[in-house]
Amino acid sequence: MTVVAGGASAARPQLIRAINGKVLLDHLRRSGPLSRTELARLSGLSKPTVSAALGTIERAGLVHATGQRTGVPGPAAILYGVRPEAGFILGLDVGREFLRGAVADLAGTVRSRMSVRAKAVDAMARIQELAGLATKLLGDAGIGASQLTQTVIGSPGVYDPKLDTLTLTGRLSGWDSPAVLPALRDAFGPALMIENDVDAAALAERVHGHGRDVDSFAFVSVGTGIGMGLVLDGKLRHGSHGVAGEISYLPFAEGTGSDARDARKRGSFDASASAAAVVRAARRAGVRGASSAEKVFAAAARGNAVAAGIVAEEALLVAKAVCTVITVVDPDLIVLGGGIGQAPGFLEAVVDQLRLLAPVLPEVKVSVLAADTVVAGCIAAGLDRAWQHVAARIGNSAS
């Protein structure tokens, strides 16, 4: 018993040093660079304790002196900040038409970014293309694969931990094969995290977009596919089975023929309101040149009454889905994203319908983030995970 008590007593100062180091690192991550005096004020720790904790995280290679604060009374104060090279994150977006990616350092600064058109016709070839893109990104960033702290892939679908596979992968052919995840782990190593692509876009919105200062919001993406990312109490919510936000399965009218087949495979709302559904509706109605949803919207903007009717029906369908979200979750904000969600004038059409349908009308905004939104969300998710690894390094350094 004496040995156990002694061990616990010896471990206590180490634990306290590690906790203090994490507190300072969190302040430096959010507000740095900072001086020792500023860190003491923000943390409530004494200056000697701050000095000791700074030594701990500096030995761990996580912070460094970045300069001096001048222009204020008294001697110049040394400023400390996170050492960006202490970790790197690779974020990849696997889409049907494009593969996008970026490498960022631990401070969140993007070191390289790239987008390539997808050429693969099957899942294994798509993984090879992703690996090739990753190699180019690492080369442009000037780092090796061994320096990566975390890799995050934004992908259509839901991860099923029981089967260790991806399900509900939509239009990404073969991506739900049981062989996909093992092949991805072989290509990218154990520090691999899979995030639903729309959930990743919601994370990007939380960090860089309209969701920055909002406690709860829904990011609704309408385009080639349909999905939603739900942030409640500042946290992304996946649900018990990972399907929170899979609004493509809302039970809207399925129609017949290809519409019904789409509904069974990808969900009724997807079959009714995705870009492909808009094109089908326009072609059935005789809209000339309706080769894409974008062209249907353009025809409506030019005054084509038939195309305008299809756009109005699309706005009604999206408003019904958003109304469902409002009545179940009651978020502070709805953000529309995707090719259709961000189309000019579409926001106003959806809001007009919501005024008639919804019991309350939260703020509804169009995302201002660009095509690399999913990559930005993957980087954000990777940074959160990387800082968990950093916390472990602080504990090891304090011991």
Side-chain angles (χ1 to χ4, degrees):
M1 294 296 292
T2 304
V3 174
V4 173
S9 177
R12 184 174 174 81
Q14 298 168 6
L15 177 61
I16 292 173
R17 284 197 296 271
I19 292 172
N20 290 339
K22 292 173 187 176
V23 168
L24 297 190
L25 195 61
D26 187 58
H27 285 297
L28 290 171
R29 179 190 177 190
R30 299 176 189 281
S31 308
L34 297 167
S35 68
R36 294 174 191 243
T37 300
E38 290 166 333
L39 283 167
R41 186 178 69 251
L42 288 170
S43 66
L45 300 173
S46 68
K47 288 184 180 180
T49 300
V50 166
S51 296
L54 271 176
T56 295
I57 55 179
E58 196 167 13
R59 285 193 300 274
L62 301 173
V63 302
H64 63 166
T66 62
Q68 293 182 327
R69 188 172 318 280
T70 58
V72 294
I78 298 175
L79 298 177
Y80 293 87
V82 172
R83 192 170 72 85
E85 298 80 11
F88 293 94
I89 296 89
L90 170 64
L92 296 169
D93 172 18
V94 52
R96 190 179 176 201
E97 296 184 14
F98 289 92
L99 305 178
R100 297 182 171 91
V103 171
D105 59 32
L106 198 61
T109 302
V110 172
R111 299 294 188 96
S112 63
R113 190 191 305 273
M114 193 176 300
S115 174
V116 297
R117 186 171 288 277
K119 300 176 182 178
V121 295
D122 60 51
M124 293 302 112
R126 189 174 295 114
I127 291 171
Q128 291 179 357
E129 285 187 352
L130 273 177
L133 174 60
T135 299
K136 292 177 183 177
L137 286 165
L138 291 173
D140 287 353
I143 67 170
S146 62
Q147 294 173 268
L148 284 176
T149 307
Q150 188 69 51
T151 297
V152 182
I153 296 178
S155 166
V158 173
Y159 174 65
D160 184 339
K162 293 180 180 178
L163 300 176
D164 193 33
T165 189
L166 289 166
T167 61
L168 309 180
T169 54
R171 293 173 173 81
L172 213 55
S173 177
W175 206 240
D176 54 357
S177 165
V180 166
L181 280 178
L184 285 170
R185 292 183 183 119
D186 285 344
F188 294 101
L192 174 65
M193 176 179 168
I194 307 292
E195 184 63 86
N196 174 268
D197 52 359
V198 180
D199 283 344
L203 284 174
E205 200 68 43
R206 179 175 67 84
V207 175
H208 304 290
H210 295 305
R212 275 176 294 186
D213 300 315
V214 179
D215 192 48
S216 64
F217 70 93
F219 176 85
V220 178
S221 179
V222 185
T224 303
I226 291 176
M228 181 183 75
L230 187 61
V231 173
L232 298 177
D233 299 322
K235 296 181 180 180
L236 182 67
R237 304 297 179 176
H238 296 92
S240 296
H241 303 90
V243 299
E246 291 294 325
I247 59 172
S248 62
Y249 289 86
L250 286 173
F252 289 178
E254 298 182 4
T256 60
S258 59
D259 290 9
R261 289 194 295 273
D262 255 6
R264 286 192 295 272
K265 187 173 183 181
R266 302 184 182 97
S268 296
F269 184 37
D270 188 293
S272 303
S274 66
V278 170
V279 170
R280 284 198 300 266
R283 286 175 175 172
R284 283 197 295 262
V287 178
R288 297 181 62 181
S291 59
S292 67
E294 182 180 9
K295 291 185 177 180
V296 176
F297 273 70
R302 291 194 302 268
N304 185 311
V306 177
I310 291 166
V311 171
E313 179 63 23
E314 176 74 1
L316 175 59
L317 286 170
V318 172
K320 286 181 178 180
V322 171
C323 182
T324 302
V325 175
I326 291 171
T327 55
V328 173
V329 183
D330 191 18
D332 298 315
L333 170 70
I334 303 289
V335 181
L336 296 181
I340 291 176
Q342 292 174 278
F346 191 66
L347 168 70
E348 292 76 13
V350 171
V351 170
D352 285 345
Q353 295 292 345
L354 281 174
R355 288 194 176 99
L356 302 174
L357 295 172
V360 296
L361 185 61
E363 274 198 287
V364 185
K365 296 182 179 181
V366 175
S367 176
V368 295
L369 303 182
D372 59 354
T373 302
V374 174
V375 173
C378 289
I379 294 295
L383 280 168
D384 285 343
R385 183 66 64 87
W387 281 98
Q388 294 176 23
H389 296 308
V390 164
R393 285 166 61 180
I394 294 174
N396 292 335
S397 178
S399 61

